[in-house]
Short mmCIF file of all heavy atoms in Angstrom, two decimals:
data_model
loop_
_atom_site.label_atom_id
_atom_site.label_comp_id
_atom_site.label_asym_id
_atom_site.label_seq_id
_atom_site.Cartn_x
_atom_site.Cartn_y
_atom_site.Cartn_z
N TYR N 23 0.83 -1.21 0.00
CA TYR N 23 0.00 0.00 0.00
C TYR N 23 0.87 1.26 0.00
O TYR N 23 0.60 2.21 -0.76
CB TYR N 23 -0.91 -0.02 1.22
CG TYR N 23 -1.76 1.22 1.37
CD1 TYR N 23 -2.82 1.46 0.52
CD2 TYR N 23 -1.50 2.13 2.39
CE1 TYR N 23 -3.62 2.61 0.66
CE2 TYR N 23 -2.28 3.27 2.54
CZ TYR N 23 -3.34 3.50 1.68
OH TYR N 23 -4.10 4.63 1.82
N TYR N 24 1.92 1.27 0.82
CA TYR N 24 2.82 2.43 0.83
C TYR N 24 3.40 2.66 -0.56
O TYR N 24 3.46 3.80 -1.06
CB TYR N 24 3.98 2.20 1.82
CG TYR N 24 3.60 2.17 3.28
CD1 TYR N 24 4.51 1.72 4.23
CD2 TYR N 24 2.35 2.57 3.73
CE1 TYR N 24 4.20 1.68 5.58
CE2 TYR N 24 2.02 2.54 5.07
CZ TYR N 24 2.95 2.09 5.99
OH TYR N 24 2.62 2.05 7.32
N GLY N 25 3.87 1.58 -1.17
CA GLY N 25 4.47 1.70 -2.50
C GLY N 25 3.47 2.18 -3.52
O GLY N 25 3.80 2.97 -4.43
N GLN N 26 2.21 1.72 -3.41
CA GLN N 26 1.18 2.14 -4.36
C GLN N 26 0.93 3.64 -4.26
O GLN N 26 0.77 4.33 -5.28
CB GLN N 26 -0.12 1.38 -4.08
CG GLN N 26 -1.26 1.76 -5.01
CD GLN N 26 -2.51 0.93 -4.74
OE1 GLN N 26 -2.45 -0.29 -4.65
NE2 GLN N 26 -3.65 1.60 -4.61
N LYS N 27 0.91 4.18 -3.05
CA LYS N 27 0.69 5.61 -2.88
C LYS N 27 1.88 6.42 -3.41
O LYS N 27 1.70 7.50 -3.99
CB LYS N 27 0.44 5.94 -1.41
CG LYS N 27 -0.91 5.45 -0.90
CD LYS N 27 -2.05 6.03 -1.72
CE LYS N 27 -3.41 5.56 -1.25
NZ LYS N 27 -4.51 6.11 -2.09
N ALA N 28 3.09 5.90 -3.22
CA ALA N 28 4.26 6.58 -3.77
C ALA N 28 4.24 6.53 -5.29
O ALA N 28 4.55 7.51 -5.98
CB ALA N 28 5.54 5.93 -3.23
N TRP N 29 3.89 5.37 -5.84
CA TRP N 29 3.78 5.19 -7.29
C TRP N 29 2.73 6.16 -7.86
O TRP N 29 2.98 6.81 -8.89
CB TRP N 29 3.39 3.75 -7.58
CG TRP N 29 3.12 3.43 -9.03
CD1 TRP N 29 2.01 3.75 -9.75
CD2 TRP N 29 3.99 2.73 -9.93
NE1 TRP N 29 2.12 3.28 -11.03
CE2 TRP N 29 3.32 2.66 -11.18
CE3 TRP N 29 5.24 2.15 -9.80
CZ2 TRP N 29 3.88 2.02 -12.29
CZ3 TRP N 29 5.80 1.51 -10.91
CH2 TRP N 29 5.13 1.46 -12.13
N SER N 30 1.58 6.24 -7.22
CA SER N 30 0.52 7.12 -7.71
C SER N 30 0.94 8.58 -7.68
O SER N 30 0.57 9.37 -8.56
CB SER N 30 -0.75 6.93 -6.87
OG SER N 30 -1.25 5.62 -7.00
N HIS N 31 1.73 8.95 -6.68
CA HIS N 31 2.23 10.31 -6.60
C HIS N 31 3.17 10.62 -7.76
O HIS N 31 3.16 11.74 -8.30
CB HIS N 31 2.96 10.52 -5.27
CG HIS N 31 3.43 11.93 -5.06
ND1 HIS N 31 2.59 12.95 -4.67
CD2 HIS N 31 4.67 12.50 -5.17
CE1 HIS N 31 3.27 14.08 -4.57
NE2 HIS N 31 4.53 13.84 -4.86
N LEU N 32 3.93 9.63 -8.17
CA LEU N 32 4.91 9.83 -9.24
C LEU N 32 4.32 9.66 -10.63
O LEU N 32 4.66 10.39 -11.56
CB LEU N 32 6.08 8.84 -9.07
CG LEU N 32 6.94 9.02 -7.81
CD1 LEU N 32 7.87 7.82 -7.63
CD2 LEU N 32 7.75 10.31 -7.91
N PHE N 33 3.42 8.68 -10.79
CA PHE N 33 2.95 8.31 -12.13
C PHE N 33 1.44 8.47 -12.32
O PHE N 33 0.91 8.11 -13.37
CB PHE N 33 3.34 6.85 -12.42
CG PHE N 33 4.80 6.58 -12.29
CD1 PHE N 33 5.28 5.77 -11.26
CD2 PHE N 33 5.72 7.14 -13.16
CE1 PHE N 33 6.64 5.51 -11.12
CE2 PHE N 33 7.08 6.89 -13.03
CZ PHE N 33 7.55 6.08 -12.02
N GLY N 34 0.75 8.98 -11.33
CA GLY N 34 -0.69 9.17 -11.45
C GLY N 34 -1.46 8.00 -10.86
O GLY N 34 -0.93 6.89 -10.75
N ASP N 35 -2.71 8.25 -10.50
CA ASP N 35 -3.51 7.21 -9.84
C ASP N 35 -4.63 6.68 -10.74
O ASP N 35 -5.64 6.17 -10.26
CB ASP N 35 -4.10 7.73 -8.53
CG ASP N 35 -5.03 8.93 -8.75
OD1 ASP N 35 -5.12 9.42 -9.90
OD2 ASP N 35 -5.66 9.38 -7.77
N ARG N 36 -4.45 6.78 -12.06
CA ARG N 36 -5.42 6.17 -12.96
C ARG N 36 -5.39 4.65 -12.79
O ARG N 36 -4.35 4.08 -12.46
CB ARG N 36 -5.11 6.53 -14.41
CG ARG N 36 -5.24 8.02 -14.72
CD ARG N 36 -5.04 8.30 -16.21
NE ARG N 36 -3.78 7.75 -16.69
CZ ARG N 36 -2.61 8.36 -16.59
NH1 ARG N 36 -2.55 9.55 -15.99
NH2 ARG N 36 -1.52 7.81 -17.06
N PRO N 37 -6.52 3.98 -13.01
CA PRO N 37 -6.57 2.52 -12.81
C PRO N 37 -5.48 1.76 -13.54
O PRO N 37 -4.93 0.80 -12.98
CB PRO N 37 -7.96 2.16 -13.34
CG PRO N 37 -8.78 3.39 -13.12
CD PRO N 37 -7.84 4.54 -13.37
N VAL N 38 -5.16 2.16 -14.75
CA VAL N 38 -4.12 1.46 -15.51
C VAL N 38 -2.77 1.56 -14.80
O VAL N 38 -2.05 0.57 -14.66
CB VAL N 38 -4.01 2.03 -16.95
CG1 VAL N 38 -2.79 1.43 -17.66
CG2 VAL N 38 -5.27 1.75 -17.74
N SER N 39 -2.45 2.76 -14.34
CA SER N 39 -1.18 2.97 -13.65
C SER N 39 -1.10 2.16 -12.36
O SER N 39 -0.09 1.50 -12.08
CB SER N 39 -1.01 4.47 -13.33
OG SER N 39 0.16 4.70 -12.57
N VAL N 40 -2.18 2.20 -11.58
CA VAL N 40 -2.21 1.46 -10.32
C VAL N 40 -2.10 -0.03 -10.55
O VAL N 40 -1.39 -0.75 -9.83
CB VAL N 40 -3.49 1.80 -9.53
CG1 VAL N 40 -3.63 0.89 -8.31
CG2 VAL N 40 -3.48 3.26 -9.08
N ASN N 41 -2.78 -0.54 -11.59
CA ASN N 41 -2.73 -1.98 -11.88
C ASN N 41 -1.35 -2.42 -12.33
O ASN N 41 -0.92 -3.54 -12.04
CB ASN N 41 -3.78 -2.34 -12.92
CG ASN N 41 -5.19 -2.32 -12.36
OD1 ASN N 41 -5.39 -2.53 -11.16
ND2 ASN N 41 -6.18 -2.04 -13.20
N ILE N 42 -0.65 -1.55 -13.07
CA ILE N 42 0.72 -1.87 -13.47
C ILE N 42 1.59 -2.05 -12.22
O ILE N 42 2.38 -2.99 -12.11
CB ILE N 42 1.31 -0.76 -14.37
CG1 ILE N 42 0.64 -0.80 -15.74
CG2 ILE N 42 2.83 -0.92 -14.51
CD1 ILE N 42 1.04 0.36 -16.64
N TYR N 43 1.42 -1.12 -11.26
CA TYR N 43 2.18 -1.24 -10.01
C TYR N 43 1.87 -2.56 -9.30
O TYR N 43 2.78 -3.25 -8.84
CB TYR N 43 1.86 -0.07 -9.08
CG TYR N 43 2.33 -0.33 -7.66
CD1 TYR N 43 3.67 -0.17 -7.32
CD2 TYR N 43 1.44 -0.78 -6.68
CE1 TYR N 43 4.11 -0.44 -6.03
CE2 TYR N 43 1.88 -1.06 -5.40
CZ TYR N 43 3.21 -0.89 -5.08
OH TYR N 43 3.65 -1.18 -3.81
N ARG N 44 0.60 -2.90 -9.19
CA ARG N 44 0.22 -4.12 -8.48
C ARG N 44 0.81 -5.36 -9.14
O ARG N 44 1.25 -6.29 -8.45
CB ARG N 44 -1.30 -4.22 -8.40
CG ARG N 44 -1.93 -3.19 -7.46
CD ARG N 44 -3.44 -3.18 -7.58
NE ARG N 44 -4.05 -2.24 -6.65
CZ ARG N 44 -5.31 -1.83 -6.72
NH1 ARG N 44 -6.12 -2.30 -7.69
NH2 ARG N 44 -5.79 -0.98 -5.84
N VAL N 45 0.81 -5.38 -10.47
CA VAL N 45 1.39 -6.52 -11.18
C VAL N 45 2.89 -6.61 -10.91
O VAL N 45 3.42 -7.69 -10.61
CB VAL N 45 1.13 -6.40 -12.70
CG1 VAL N 45 1.95 -7.44 -13.47
CG2 VAL N 45 -0.35 -6.59 -13.00
N VAL N 46 3.59 -5.48 -10.99
CA VAL N 46 5.03 -5.46 -10.72
C VAL N 46 5.31 -5.91 -9.30
O VAL N 46 6.21 -6.73 -9.04
CB VAL N 46 5.61 -4.04 -10.96
CG1 VAL N 46 7.04 -3.95 -10.47
CG2 VAL N 46 5.54 -3.68 -12.44
N PHE N 47 4.54 -5.40 -8.35
CA PHE N 47 4.75 -5.74 -6.94
C PHE N 47 4.57 -7.24 -6.72
O PHE N 47 5.38 -7.87 -6.02
CB PHE N 47 3.77 -4.95 -6.06
CG PHE N 47 4.04 -5.04 -4.59
CD1 PHE N 47 4.98 -4.21 -3.99
CD2 PHE N 47 3.36 -5.94 -3.79
CE1 PHE N 47 5.24 -4.28 -2.63
CE2 PHE N 47 3.61 -6.02 -2.43
CZ PHE N 47 4.55 -5.19 -1.85
N CYS N 48 3.52 -7.81 -7.30
CA CYS N 48 3.25 -9.24 -7.09
C CYS N 48 4.27 -10.12 -7.82
O CYS N 48 4.63 -11.20 -7.32
CB CYS N 48 1.84 -9.57 -7.54
SG CYS N 48 0.57 -8.86 -6.44
N LEU N 49 4.75 -9.68 -8.98
CA LEU N 49 5.81 -10.43 -9.66
C LEU N 49 7.09 -10.45 -8.82
O LEU N 49 7.81 -11.45 -8.79
CB LEU N 49 6.09 -9.82 -11.04
CG LEU N 49 5.03 -10.08 -12.12
CD1 LEU N 49 5.40 -9.32 -13.40
CD2 LEU N 49 4.90 -11.57 -12.41
N LEU N 50 7.35 -9.36 -8.13
CA LEU N 50 8.54 -9.31 -7.27
C LEU N 50 8.38 -10.21 -6.05
O LEU N 50 9.38 -10.66 -5.48
CB LEU N 50 8.83 -7.88 -6.84
CG LEU N 50 9.48 -7.00 -7.91
CD1 LEU N 50 9.58 -5.55 -7.46
CD2 LEU N 50 10.88 -7.52 -8.28
N ILE N 51 7.15 -10.47 -5.64
CA ILE N 51 6.93 -11.44 -4.56
C ILE N 51 7.40 -12.81 -5.01
O ILE N 51 8.11 -13.52 -4.28
CB ILE N 51 5.45 -11.50 -4.17
CG1 ILE N 51 5.04 -10.20 -3.46
CG2 ILE N 51 5.16 -12.69 -3.26
CD1 ILE N 51 3.56 -10.11 -3.14
N VAL N 52 7.03 -13.21 -6.23
CA VAL N 52 7.48 -14.49 -6.78
C VAL N 52 9.00 -14.49 -6.91
O VAL N 52 9.66 -15.48 -6.57
CB VAL N 52 6.81 -14.76 -8.14
CG1 VAL N 52 7.29 -16.09 -8.72
CG2 VAL N 52 5.29 -14.77 -7.99
N ALA N 53 9.56 -13.38 -7.38
CA ALA N 53 11.02 -13.28 -7.51
C ALA N 53 11.70 -13.41 -6.16
O ALA N 53 12.77 -14.02 -6.03
CB ALA N 53 11.40 -11.96 -8.17
N GLY N 54 11.06 -12.85 -5.13
CA GLY N 54 11.65 -12.92 -3.79
C GLY N 54 11.73 -14.34 -3.27
O GLY N 54 12.61 -14.66 -2.45
#
């Protein structure tokens, strides 16, 4: 959630932008 708010501040909070962040975040969970 913290990262999503920082991402939205930098790249906007449109649904497409937020969903890109969520996908990246979850892919990094698998990478972790």
Side-chain angles (χ1 to χ4, degrees):
Y23 176 72
Y24 292 168
Q26 179 177 311
K27 289 302 180 182
W29 175 284
S30 296
H31 184 77
L32 295 169
F33 304 112
D35 61 354
R36 296 185 306 277
V38 172
S39 175
V40 171
N41 287 332
I42 289 173
Y43 165 79
R44 290 171 178 166
V45 169
V46 170
F47 190 83
C48 290
L49 286 176
L50 283 173
I51 290 175
V52 179

